[in-house]
Amino acid sequence: MMDSSSGAFIRTIEWDMMDKRKFFPLSMLSSFSVRCALFPLTVIKTQLQVQYKNDVYKGMIDAGFKIYRNEGVPGLYRGFWISSVQIVSGVFYISTYEGVRHVLTQQGSSQRTKSLVAGGCASLVGQTIIVPFDVISQHAMVLGMSGAAGKGSSVNPLGINFDKSNSRLRITVDIAREIVRRDGFKGFYRGYTASLMAYVPNSALWWAFYHLYQDEMLRVCPPWVSLLFVQCVAGSLGGFTTTVITNPLDIVRARLQVQRLDSMRVAFSDLWHEEHFHMFFKGLTARLVQSAAFSFSIILGYETIKRVSVNEQYKHLIKW
């Protein structure tokens, strides 16, 4: 997309404009760095979502302090290494997103339609790859967490013996072995439907809101304002919006995967019984902070890497 308000420049760098040999390795490095920096927020969010009311933690800051006090930094990175497989799923995610956008561009679809459809398709592919690792990671995140998880539920339904001296590999293997013993391979896809219902609309809406906010901000910002800065802010605003809309679905997904509930209906019913209207806000602060920081960082890396990877013939049309 070109803009002529301050001289012609490319607002959106498309898939066929980039050197993929640069894009893929830089994208994986950026994704790993962002996930490494922000993973403690994922641990805090997950523990807040599975606790019964406020039995264990009063909120995001209280959870962070208590986890750090009890376990130190390793407690905030529990489940990180198995979760970091998301870097691989991220490659498939962004390839699907850009590929679908490219096809829809050739069909003359609008910018927002391309973003909405491509974001949903990308999440479908990404979740299919990552859900098994997500299930193991979330069990690891809440292992050793004190307190009840809800009516008739446990934060450690697999009955894994938690010992701080055990290596991360040992804990991961124990969780995976117990899942296979109880449920077989399908146990790794527990909550898969809930994951799709939470993340496919989240991804679709996030990309749609990202381009919507970007376009609106560019209309009102002076020409000298950095396009990259506008994109980062638009990403954060998109993250805020989609997080508020999809928060209850994310809680249901987490509870299905960790507490081994029978269905989404049971998860919704238990959540409503425990929280009533507070279910819409449970763990929301942690999710908002995580989403805003994650969205800003991901867009900063993603759009920077696209600029670095752009083919030579387009470089004079790039605005930072």
Side-chain angles (χ1 to χ4, degrees), residues 5 51 54 58 62 85 102 104 113 119 154 170 180 182 193 227 234 250-251 257 269 286 304 306-307 311-312 318:
S5 58
Q51 73 171 348
N54 293 321
K58 295 183 177 71
D62 182 55
V85 176
H102 180 67
L104 293 177
T113 299
S154 167
R170 169 71 180 277
V180 171
R182 294 191 181 204
T193 301
L227 174 60
D250 191 54
I251 299 171
Q257 291 178 340
S269 177
T304 298
K306 288 176 76 173
R307 286 163 167 79
N311 291 324
E312 197 66 37
I318 300 302

Side-chain angles (χ1 to χ4, degrees), residues 159-220:
I160 302 294
N161 292 323
F162 176 65
D163 187 338
K164 293 181 183 179
S165 63
N166 286 346
S167 68
R168 293 183 179 88
L169 177 60
R170 169 71 180 277
I171 292 172
T172 301
V173 170
D174 286 348
I175 292 171
R177 184 185 293 127
E178 187 62 23
I179 290 173
V180 171
R181 188 184 73 81
R182 294 191 181 204
D183 298 327
F185 180 77
K186 67 179 182 180
F188 292 113
Y189 276 89
R190 179 177 289 272
Y192 175 65
T193 301
S195 291
L196 293 184
M197 290 183 66
Y199 285 129
V200 169
N202 186 293
S203 176
L205 290 171
W206 186 83
W207 283 106
F209 279 123
Y210 165 59
H211 284 286
L212 172 64
Y213 286 131
Q214 176 184 318
D215 291 344
E216 293 304 316
M217 289 177 67
L218 287 173
R219 283 198 184 95
V220 299

Side-chain angles (χ1 to χ4, degrees), residues 93 97 112 115-125 127 191-210 238-250 253 264 268 287 291:
Y93 176 94
Y97 173 75
R112 291 170 195 172
S115 301
L116 186 73
V117 175
C121 292
S123 184
L124 177 61
V125 172
Q127 285 303 305
Y192 175 65
T193 301
S195 291
L196 293 184
M197 290 183 66
Y199 285 129
V200 169
N202 186 293
S203 176
L205 290 171
W206 186 83
W207 283 106
F209 279 123
Y210 165 59
F240 260 96
T241 307
T242 54
T243 295
V244 171
I245 294 172
T246 62
N247 192 56
L249 286 171
D250 191 54
R253 174 200 60 82
M264 289 185 64
F268 264 116
R287 276 200 78 208
S291 179

Side-chain angles (χ1 to χ4, degrees), residues 26-70:
L26 289 174
S27 179
M28 292 178 70
L29 178 61
S30 173
S31 178
F32 179 80
S33 301
V34 171
R35 293 183 188 284
C36 186
L38 300 179
F39 191 77
L41 288 172
T42 303
V43 175
I44 291 170
K45 178 205 73 171
T46 301
Q47 294 203 12
L48 286 171
Q49 287 178 331
V50 301
Q51 73 171 348
Y52 178 68
K53 294 188 176 180
N54 293 321
D55 274 5
V56 186
Y57 308 120
K58 295 183 177 71
M60 181 184 72
I61 296 175
D62 182 55
F65 274 121
K66 286 182 177 176
I67 295 170
Y68 178 77
R69 186 178 62 206
N70 293 332

